[in-house]
Amino acid sequence: MKIIAVADYQEMSEKAAQYVIERVKNNPSIHLGLATGGTPKGLYQQLINDHQTNFTSYIKVTTFNLDEYVGLAPINPASYHYYMEEQLFQHVDINRRNTFIPNGVAENLKQECQRYDEKVLLEGGIDLQILGIGENGHIGFNEPGTPFGSTTHVVSLTESTLRANAKYFSSEKDIPTHAITMGIATIMKSKEILLLASGLSKRPAMKRLLECAIEESFPASILRQHPQVTIIADRDALPKSFQSSVTEHSRV
Ligand code: GLP
């Protein structure tokens, strides 16, 4: 794992954008795995700025999102479909036919999960997966205890995740209790992973990711077994021993 420590959220977003833009320029047909949540918003803003000033094109790019809430239609402002439109898609030249997000209002959710996995496979997999991390170590919506071999599936969200996401909903009763998420095995098949973390609330999770055992009770720990992971995190999110600028961390 390569760990790049930066000063703050702004620098994390800028560094992450440089990273993604370089990959897009090297491979204009790249398959990007996209995350939602607060963490990548700054990255997406930087991609938009760059698209507007340097004209980096997304016309041939394909994207797969990690997850979506069950029961939220794309027109719901709290859905991840809506988030992606607002935060990125409508501001760049991406072709909507090349953007994929699990359908949280599918009639048959199990079939939808299977269809999503098949789509990822059919398109040839993910070249670069962008990830955030939950305070309990979730990646996508893979909550603690999710089998490392899991493919796309429906999850029941934990108390910790519901609490962390409450700020995006106007009332408690509107917070969805279930989501569809790309599985851990699906994420691990990505050729490359870029994990972003910012803020003190993420430090305990980052400490555990970097220092503790690889176990299903802490989903992100599996990333230590991936051959190509880069972490860009601000100093608040990193434990003391990883706060110097660039660290190579042994894989296991
Ligand atoms: C959310 C999303 C994840 C995200 C994580 C952290 O629940 N499903 O994809 O990475 O939790 O969110 P945030 O970046 O807002 O801290």
Side-chain angles (χ1 to χ4, degrees):
M1 278 180 160
K2 185 176 180 187
I3 300 139
I4 301 171
V6 294
D8 52 21
Y9 182 79
Q10 178 66 19
E11 200 186 344
M12 178 200 74
S13 305
E14 286 166 8
K15 278 254 162 25
Q18 283 164 15
Y19 195 100
V20 173
I21 291 162
E22 197 194 302
R23 295 297 186 281
V24 172
K25 284 192 167 149
N26 285 340
N27 175 10
S29 308
I30 193 168
H31 293 177
L32 292 177
L34 300 178
T36 50
T39 308
K41 282 187 180 174
L43 155 65
Y44 296 146
Q45 187 55 55
Q46 294 292 327
L47 295 183
I48 295 165
N49 296 347
D50 164 76
H51 171 74
Q52 287 166 351
T53 50
N54 304 316
F55 313 109
T56 303
S57 176
Y58 295 81
I59 198 99
K60 292 184 183 161
V61 171
T62 296
T63 65
F64 290 98
N65 265 77
L66 279 169
D67 43 22
E68 178 58 287
Y69 289 111
V70 168
L72 298 197
I75 52 156
N76 187 318
S79 74
Y80 288 161
H81 278 78
Y82 198 97
Y83 170 107
M84 286 315 306
E85 273 301 318
E86 220 180 15
Q87 300 297 325
L88 183 65
F89 294 162
Q90 66 180 251
H91 307 287
V92 295
D93 61 345
I94 201 153
N95 182 342
R96 297 299 192 291
R97 283 200 308 250
N98 300 336
T99 64
F100 301 99
I101 305 177
N103 177 9
V105 288
E107 241 170 65
N108 185 329
L109 292 172
K110 217 173 160 191
Q111 252 174 33
E112 170 60 12
C113 294
Q114 213 178 331
R115 186 197 66 84
Y116 199 69
D117 265 327
E118 283 164 8
K119 190 72 199 159
V120 174
L121 267 180
L122 197 76
E123 294 291 324
I126 293 166
D127 297 306
L128 173 62
Q129 175 67 56
I130 295 158
L131 287 181
I133 185 168
E135 287 169 26
N136 62 1
H138 73 238
I139 47 175
F141 266 134
N142 292 287
E143 298 283 26
T146 306
F148 283 154
S150 57
T151 52
T152 300
H153 60 287
V154 176
V155 289
S156 173
L157 301 173
T158 62
E159 261 315 301
S160 148
T161 303
L162 294 176
R163 238 179 300 118
N165 290 343
K167 57 181 178 286
Y168 300 114
F169 296 89
S170 46
S171 92
E172 208 170 298
K173 67 167 182 21
D174 294 334
I175 309 173
T177 53
H178 290 75
I180 295 182
T181 184
M182 214 185 256
I184 294 184
T186 321
I187 293 171
M188 285 294 281
K189 276 194 200 131
S190 315
K191 293 193 188 91
E192 203 182 340
I193 290 176
L194 177 63
L195 182 135
L196 307 179
S198 169
L200 277 173
S201 68
K202 298 294 169 76
R203 191 183 287 184
M206 292 304 289
K207 189 171 164 59
R208 204 163 159 196
L209 163 62
L210 295 166
E211 295 174 355
C212 295
I214 297 172
E215 53 193 20
E216 289 179 348
S217 60
F218 193 77
S221 62
I222 191 67
L223 298 176
R224 302 229 320 251
Q225 284 185 349
H226 192 286
Q228 209 62 250
V229 176
T230 299
I231 295 173
I232 304 179
D234 62 21
R235 293 203 168 86
D236 278 351
L238 285 170
K240 286 261 175 310
S241 48
F242 292 93
Q243 289 181 1
S244 59
S245 58
V246 179
T247 324
E248 284 292 340
H249 189 46
S250 67
R251 265 210 272 154
V252 184

